[in-house]
Amino acid sequence: MNTINILSTSNLSIGYHSKDGNLAIAENLNLHLQEGKLTALVGANGIGKSTLLRTLCGIQKPLEGLVLLNEKIFKPTTHWNCHNN
């Protein structure tokens, strides 16, 4: 049985953009989340879990690399303001 990667990343670097440059929290992340598999994201406070999730869903731009949804490059076309919800 072939497993399907629902969400994956290729050399993803996450962090923050600033006028002084980029602050990378994690680099070269290669994830493969598969259909029918349970995945947990755990870690200490401040380690970048929320930054990773914001990047994976398109709220925050990656510093480098790609996010793939159903094996196609994911580029959100609609931007929303989380503070208005």
Side-chain angles (χ1 to χ4, degrees):
M1 179 169 124
N2 289 336
T3 56
I4 298 170
N5 289 327
I6 299 297
L7 183 69
S8 57
T9 65
S10 176
N11 298 316
L12 184 69
S13 293
I14 61 169
Y16 299 95
H17 301 278
S18 74
K19 61 183 177 183
D20 297 328
N22 294 331
L23 173 62
I25 293 175
E27 298 176 305
N28 300 318
L29 299 173
N30 293 294
L31 308 173
H32 304 283
L33 306 181
Q34 299 175 343
E35 181 179 30
K37 303 280 183 167
L38 179 63
T39 303
L41 180 61
V42 295
N45 290 346
I47 203 151
K49 299 177 300 291
S50 295
T51 303
L52 175 59
L53 292 174
R54 283 192 305 272
T55 304
L56 292 176
C57 67
I59 294 173
Q60 186 169 330
K61 291 182 179 180
L63 298 179
E64 289 185 32
L66 298 173
V67 175
L68 298 108
L69 181 61
N70 293 322
E71 300 183 4
K72 295 179 183 172
I73 296 173
F74 175 63
K75 291 187 179 181
T77 56
T78 305
H79 299 280
W80 59 92
N81 185 344
C82 295
H83 301 290
N84 290 336
N85 294 332

